[in-house]
Structures are given as structure tokens and as C-alpha cells.
Amino acid sequence: MLEKTYLADANKRASGPYNFADYLKQYQFSIEKPAEFWAEQAQALAWYKPWDTVLSGDLVQANVRWFEGALLNVCFNCVDRHLVNSANETAIIWQGNEFEQVKYFTYAQLHEQICRLANVLLSKGISKGDRVCIYLPMIPEAIISMLACARIGAVHTVVFAGFSAESLQSRIQDTQCKLVITADEAVRGNKSVPLKLNVDLALKNCSSVTTVLVIAKMGAEINGQHEWEVDYRAAIADADINCPCVVMAAEDPLFILYTSGSTGKPKGVLHTTAGYLLYTTVTFKQVFDYRLNEIYWCTADVGWITGHSYMVYGPLANRATILIYEGIPTYPDVSRCWQIIDQHKVNIFYTAPTLIRMLMRSGNEPVQQTKRSSLRLLGTVGEPINPEVWEWYYQVVGAEHCPVIDTWWQTETGGFMLTAFAEVTSLKPGYAGLPFFGVKPALVDNAGKLLMGENSGNLVMAQSWPGQMRTVYGDHQRYIDTYLTQFPGYYYTGDGALRDAQGFFCITGRVDDVINTAGHRIGTAEIESALVSNSQMAEAAVVGYNHPLKGQGICAFVIPKQGVIVDEALKETLLKEVVQHIGAIAKPDIIYFVNNLPKTRSGKIMRRILRKIVEGGAIKDLGDLSTLAEPDIIKELLALR
Ligand code: WTA
């Protein structure tokens, strides 16, 4: 790895922490006196009633609670409170697939749309605590829907529009949603995705849903094909423009977002009101040093946590102007992102390494034909960024004057955990950086022994932070088993990391059976169960492998049942199976048909061997093979390449 460091220029900083010494001092305070630190930070929000206790409970008992006794509303904080001075400032710039498709929403207009929709939700019988599913493309209504739920205390669960009808169904069933908000179609590049059709399929087995609000994006008539169907636009046109915010308790649920883990079905990660909002608000402001009136563009989809924390909640609570883009980065050509930056004078661009790698492959010319002079800061999230890619982002995209802020965090953490701070900490390509305030990372070995100093191991957190998930929806034991049991007293991240002599962290990737492909998290178990749901398959093992563009590619080893003819058509069938059960993002890049899998004598699949096989490792690289039940399998596997 290149060991280059870019020094911070504290003169460029607009708000605290003002320099590195300031960071160190505040960090120390935040770790030693978390309750005092977070009580001070809580001034960033508007509260109806202050808290009685800042922090109670702990990681051992899995009962952490922040700001108990306090009352507030998330929508009020993200919208209403800005109306006093900034009603006519732009809240959202929506850029559609085509250049001329642009819409602006001021904070006042956003407020009106939210109130109208909140009234529609109320009229459909939705009230505090009810779950609402949002299955929408990147259109302003996605944000309006989230905030309308927050306004009346309904708990939203956003499902990424790329997920299949089956995935949508299992999420609706798990949360027992009463209402779904969707659109007739999503448009991405030259493709259209039939969202409404997927909802119809999903609802064949979801008795909890009583209303589906459909946005007629493509102009199709919503004429109540089913009795639960309602035309979104017609309904909000008739709705009242006033709707009071429901007063919420600090620990009332705000949303549920599904994410993949090592085993079983995706988990419904539950975030609550006060801690989550405070954490996203403060991290957004301090890490990016956000300045009022700056245009901020986060390329994440609203269906992922980044689209929640750093497209909607954190930025809007800071009264930011956010840009959202419905299309794809390569439409009509690979310079589209940079053109959008010029067109809308974007100051902060926050994206994933997979996109940077893809655009980097097209060379410098498509970037350099644009100006990008408005850019002040570049951010990255979702997967490790290779130092060469970091350098290209810094030098070519940012023309060497924008700090590249690598932010490490997870759906479960709610917000940034390990990160650079703009113009405060020095930048080390490939390193996510230092802990945010109140975050106490540690490294442990597999036996749970704490590793000190320059070292590498399993990344854990030794202390709670306000943005921490509170439970797995409907299954608190699963929350305890997944995150808090492996290393008692610590929150377990599932990531490996190394720490250098200065305390900077470099994330080395997942150490569990989760694949991070093109910035998306998929569990190997989910893909395996989709593959074996095909009646011709006996068994499947899926592993991630190094992929030049996607970070990790997906490779499946499948054992067909006796007598099944193995051909290209079978491969196609299996790919379709994965698309149907999960969605196109989970499609394997490689499928190998095999007669056997490497297993231990107790029957556990030895995935590390499979990973090495796909990555082209020699026999000597395969590690200890002595526990293999049938050593001959290695010959068969090596012959695959
Ligand atoms: C990975 C996305 C390296 C990591 C916000 C983590 C990263 C998983 C980074 C969470 C980063 C995220 N550097 N790896 N800056 N950011 N990851 O839940 O493996 O979709 O555990 O949240 O992405 O993915 P999730």
C-alpha cells in the first residue's frame, strides 16, 4: 500500500473542530464523559422537552437508551424549524434521467408536500407506531414519504427499488406494514423497472396491507385495479396543507431498514428517534464541515442506509440543499456525474468507491472536459477504497484541492464511525481514519483478546454511541446473538481492520460471510438458498472474491442433482432464480458446477478454500487442509480454473 499522507489545512475550516489539537481534546472529552459531551451536542436539535438521562443501559445487557424522557419530532427538526428564516431556500434539487428534467423544492414547498401526504396517511388509518413500506425510485416523493411518516410517528421501511417482488414481500410480512407507497415505474438509463407490478405480486401474500399509494410517474392511469389502490397525486391534491407534528419520545422507533448478515434472512435494523437524528446531524456537520447554502450531492439510493442518514436526515436537519439524481452515472455517457456537478454547482460529492473505479476506467478525459470548480469536498463510503483509486479521485476529480473524506460505518451504526474530518485530520489514502467523537473502536483477536497499538484484528466498539441500532425488529435475541455475544462487552462489526502507529484505521473487509459487491451488502446464505430453491440443485456454496470494479464479485459453486444436464441454459436458470428471489444486485458473476464441496469432517463448508480457488491461489496458498473430510476435492476444484 502507498503510504502517502496529505496534511490538513486548518485555515480552511469553517466550524469546529477547528484543528487537530481541537479534535484530540474533544475526542478525549467525548470518551471520558459521553453523557456531558452528547448533552452539549444535543443543542443541535430542537426538543419539545429535554431529557432526564442522557445515556442508560449498556452493551452487555443490550438495553442502551439515549435521551430518555425527552420529546421531539424528526420532521420538525428536518423541515419546520427551518421555515422561520429559510422557507424559500432550496431543500431539494431533483435531477431526472434527462438533462432538462429538473425540479426544485424550497423548504416551504417540501413542508407543504409532507403535510399533505401525512394527512393522506392519517386518513388511511395510519397512526403512530404503524409501519409503512416505501418502494420508490430516486424521486422527491421518496424523501417526502419518509418525512411524512416521521411527522406522524409512523415507522418507515424503505425497500430498495432493485429488490424483487419476493424480497419486498418478505419485508412487508416481517414488519406487518399497513400501507405501501410506490410508483408505476422507475427509469434508470434506458431501462424501466415495473415497481407497481412487483407490489402487486408481493401483495398476493400480505394481508396486513390495506392501502397502496401509487405515484403515476409515467402517466399511467391509476384506476383502482385493486380495491386498496389509491392515486398518490390525486390524494395529496385533495389533502389539507396543515398537519401537526406528533410528539415522539426519544426512543420511539423512527425506521426499520433491512440488511444482510452471515446467516438467515436479512435483518430489520431498528433505529430510534433522538439518538439517530442527533448522531446523523452532528456527524454530517462536523465531518464535512457543511456550510449553509452549499449544494450537497449524495449518490446513494434512498433504499440504503447512506440514503437515509446522509441524503435525508443528517443534511436536512442541518438545513442543507441536497441534490438527488434518478438516473445512472453512465447515461448518456460516463461524464454525467461531472456534468451534473457543473450544472448545479455541487460543492460536496459523496459516493462509493465502486462508482469511482468504474468512472476511472474511462480515463481522465470525460472528467477533464468538465470544470468541477464548485467542488470543495469529496466523500466516499461503502467499501474499502484502493489507494490508487483514492489518488485518482483526489487528483483528477478534485484537481488536488478537495479533501477526500473516507467514512467507515454501517447500517447498524446509523452514522460515521471511523472517518477523516475535513481539514482537521491528515488524509491517508486507503485509511478510513480516526474515530468520530464518542466512538471507541478496539481490535480483538479471534479469542477476544484486546490487541494494542499497531495491529490488526476484528474491529469492535467498546462504548455505545447515539446512532447505534437498538434491536433487530421483532427479534431482540438475534440482535444480541449477532452483535453483542461474539465478544462480550463489545459491539461486533463483522469487519477486519488494521491500526497504524498513529491510530489510523484501515478497513480490510468483512470477516464474516457477507459479500460487499459494488457497495451492496449481500449474505452468502441468501444467495445459496435462492440457488438451491431450484429443484435441479442439491447444494450450493457462495463466496466473494476480489473484483477489479465491484470490490468483491460473487462466485457460486453448485452441485446439481444426479442426472441433471449441465449447460448454459442451466446457468441462466440459476441466475434468474437469484434475480427472482433477491434482485439483480445479487446475481453471481461466476457459477461453477461441481460434484462436491470442501467440507470439514463435521460438515462445515470451508469457504476460505473456495475463495482462494476463485482468486487463482496456488495449492500452497490454500492454507491448512488437514481438516478436510475428502482431500481429493482439491484436485477437482483446481481443475475448474
Ligand atoms: C463496508 C454502508 C471500508 C464495511 C454505510 C461495513 C466500508 C459495510 C466503508 C457496511 C469504508 C462501509 N471503508 N469498508 N469507508 N464503509 N464499508 O451496512 O464492510 O451497507 O461493514 O453500510 O460496508 O455496509 P452497509
Side-chain angles (χ1 to χ4, degrees):
M1 191 179 280
L2 303 170
E3 288 285 339
K4 200 167 172 181
T5 302
Y6 293 87
L7 298 178
D9 180 354
N11 291 327
K12 291 190 181 162
R13 186 79 194 186
S15 59
Y18 289 98
N19 52 43
F20 192 57
D22 197 10
Y23 161 79
L24 287 177
K25 199 166 129 227
Q26 277 210 58
Y27 179 71
Q28 214 48 42
F29 174 57
S30 73
I31 289 303
E32 284 164 12
K33 301 210 158 77
E36 279 177 44
F37 174 81
W38 287 110
E40 261 175 33
Q41 298 298 315
Q43 305 307 318
L45 298 183
W47 306 80
Y48 298 131
K49 175 183 173 286
W51 49 92
D52 302 322
T53 324
V54 176
L55 170 61
S56 58
D58 59 45
L59 294 175
V60 176
Q61 297 178 73
N63 60 350
V64 160
R65 299 175 78 80
W66 286 87
F67 301 102
E68 192 99 82
L71 300 174
L72 75 165
N73 181 283
V74 167
C75 184
F76 181 86
N77 273 280
C78 290
V79 183
D80 297 50
R81 65 169 166 155
H82 307 320
L83 297 180
V84 185
N85 297 318
S86 312
N88 297 323
E89 300 293 343
T90 307
I92 304 176
I93 304 172
W94 173 77
Q95 173 64 60
N97 201 42
E98 310 301 329
F99 285 93
E100 66 282 3
Q101 294 175 321
V102 180
K103 275 192 210 156
Y104 298 90
F105 286 77
T106 63
Y107 271 95
Q109 289 165 333
L110 179 62
H111 178 256
E112 180 184 324
Q113 294 293 315
I114 292 167
C115 287
R116 283 178 185 273
L117 178 59
N119 279 323
V120 172
L121 297 179
L122 290 170
S123 75
K124 298 295 170 198
I126 302 301
S127 56
K128 183 175 166 182
D130 287 338
R131 274 82 57 211
V132 169
C133 173
I134 300 173
Y135 186 58
L136 286 175
M138 292 289 283
I139 54 177
E141 287 85 348
I143 299 175
I144 292 165
S145 300
M146 291 162 81
L147 291 166
C149 288
R151 191 168 191 87
I152 61 166
V155 181
H156 60 70
T157 179
V158 183
V159 177
F160 172 55
F163 278 125
S164 67
E166 213 171 290
S167 292
L168 175 67
Q169 181 179 74
S170 71
R171 285 155 172 80
I172 294 176
Q173 286 171 341
D174 197 48
T175 48
Q176 289 292 296
C177 286
K178 276 194 183 167
L179 187 143
V180 180
I181 307 178
T182 192
D184 46 0
E185 278 181 16
V187 185
R188 307 213 4 112
N190 296 316
K191 275 201 212 145
S192 95
V193 188
L195 296 180
K196 165 69 170 39
L197 202 70
N198 283 347
V199 173
D200 288 346
L201 289 172
L203 290 197
K204 291 209 166 124
N205 216 347
C206 295
S207 55
S208 61
V209 176
T210 51
T211 310
V212 180
L213 293 179
V214 188
I215 299 168
K217 213 172 153 290
M218 305 310 290
E221 226 171 276
I222 311 298
N223 51 9
Q225 190 186 355
H226 304 284
E227 71 272 21
W228 54 77
E229 230 165 85
V230 175
D231 182 334
Y232 177 105
R233 299 240 160 95
I236 61 163
D238 289 342
D240 197 283
I241 59 166
N242 297 303
C243 178
C245 292
V246 168
V247 174
M248 303 292 286
E251 285 291 337
D252 278 338
L254 176 63
F255 66 83
I256 300 163
L257 184 62
Y258 284 80
T259 193
S260 297
S262 308
T263 54
K265 282 188 170 186
K267 294 180 285 284
V269 168
L270 184 114
H271 282 289
T272 56
T273 300
Y276 172 82
L277 184 66
L278 179 65
Y279 198 69
T280 52
T281 305
V282 171
T283 45
F284 176 78
K285 170 78 181 144
Q286 301 193 2
V287 166
F288 291 155
D289 190 21
Y290 182 77
R291 299 146 197 206
L292 274 188
N293 301 318
E294 279 190 327
I295 314 262
Y296 166 79
W297 179 18
C298 164
T299 66
D301 191 279
V302 67
W304 309 114
I305 191 69
T306 308
H308 285 56
S309 302
Y310 297 111
M311 190 175 80
V312 180
Y313 291 115
L316 294 182
N318 280 287
R319 214 228 77 191
T321 298
I322 62 171
L323 182 136
I324 64 169
Y325 171 47
E326 190 185 350
I328 54 171
T330 48
Y331 179 85
D333 59 55
V334 290
S335 133
R336 185 67 190 271
C337 289
W338 324 125
Q339 292 169 11
I340 292 177
I341 288 172
D342 280 357
Q343 185 184 349
H344 297 288
K345 310 261 180 303
V346 171
N347 305 103
I348 304 179
F349 179 64
Y350 186 43
T351 193
T354 194
L355 179 105
I356 311 167
R357 282 193 292 263
M358 184 178 78
L359 298 176
M360 178 176 161
R361 197 176 53 162
S362 310
N364 300 356
E365 214 274 327
V367 189
Q368 284 162 346
Q369 56 179 245
T370 60
K371 289 206 191 76
R372 301 166 325 292
S373 51
S374 53
L375 281 178
R376 177 178 66 81
L377 187 144
L378 299 169
T380 150
V381 59
E383 42 176 330
I385 178 162
N386 342 31
E388 316 78 71
V389 178
W390 193 106
E391 291 283 354
W392 185 81
Y393 197 29
Y394 179 74
Q395 280 161 17
V396 180
V397 178
E400 297 184 42
H401 70 261
C402 304
V404 170
I405 306 296
D406 188 358
T407 59
W408 175 88
W409 58 293
Q410 309 179 294
T411 305
E412 296 88 336
T413 70
F416 305 153
M417 298 293 281
L418 300 174
T419 180
F421 282 67
E423 310 296 1
V424 165
T425 56
S426 47
L427 306 174
K428 213 166 166 177
Y431 281 74
L434 294 167
F436 189 76
F437 300 127
V439 170
K440 199 172 173 191
L443 297 176
V444 293
D445 68 12
N446 288 342
K449 190 168 128 286
L450 203 56
L451 304 168
M452 306 311 287
E454 214 176 330
N455 226 321
S456 67
N458 300 297
L459 178 63
V460 296
M461 298 295 150
Q463 202 162 289
S464 178
W465 63 100
Q468 188 183 3
M469 72 182 282
R470 299 296 193 265
T471 192
V472 168
Y473 184 73
D475 196 348
H476 195 63
Q477 192 57 43
R478 194 167 173 207
Y479 165 66
I480 298 172
D481 295 346
T482 311
Y483 304 103
L484 305 175
T485 306
Q486 191 113 350
F487 302 110
Y490 295 104
Y491 162 84
Y492 175 50
T493 65
D495 276 351
L498 63 87
R499 183 175 46 211
D500 73 6
Q502 286 88 42
F504 280 61
F505 285 89
C506 165
I507 306 296
T508 48
R510 301 286 309 192
V511 290
D512 54 8
D513 291 325
V514 171
I515 298 178
N516 194 331
T517 181
H520 299 144
R521 245 173 98 164
I522 311 280
T524 50
E526 285 171 71
I527 308 176
E528 286 162 5
S529 80
L531 292 167
V532 296
S533 71
N534 184 286
S535 59
Q536 304 180 86
M537 290 304 121
E539 213 180 337
V542 168
V543 292
Y545 65 95
N546 283 327
H547 187 287
L549 283 183
K550 297 178 171 182
Q552 279 191 298
I554 303 172
C555 177
F557 294 81
V558 288
I559 308 180
K561 285 185 182 155
Q562 288 262 307
V564 168
I565 297 167
V566 170
D567 56 10
E568 277 306 306
L570 182 61
K571 248 187 205 175
E572 280 307 312
T573 308
L574 290 179
L575 291 177
K576 278 204 193 113
E577 205 78 64
V578 175
V579 173
Q580 188 202 322
H581 286 281
I582 309 172
I585 53 169
K587 262 204 295 199
D589 300 278
I590 305 173
I591 296 183
Y592 286 128
F593 292 100
V594 291
N595 295 308
N596 218 333
L597 289 168
K599 287 186 186 161
T600 60
R601 271 171 232 120
S602 58
K604 201 169 171 331
I605 295 172
M606 296 176 76
R607 288 163 202 281
R608 84 180 148 76
I609 295 182
L610 294 176
R611 220 168 284 135
K612 284 276 167 20
I613 295 282
V614 208
E615 286 173 358
I619 274 220
K620 66 174 173 30
D621 300 327
L622 298 181
D624 179 13
L625 302 178
S626 62
T627 52
L628 261 180
E630 293 177 48
D632 282 353
I633 172 80
I634 297 297
K635 252 186 260 142
E636 182 192 341
L637 292 175
L638 286 171
L640 291 170
R641 315 197 309 230

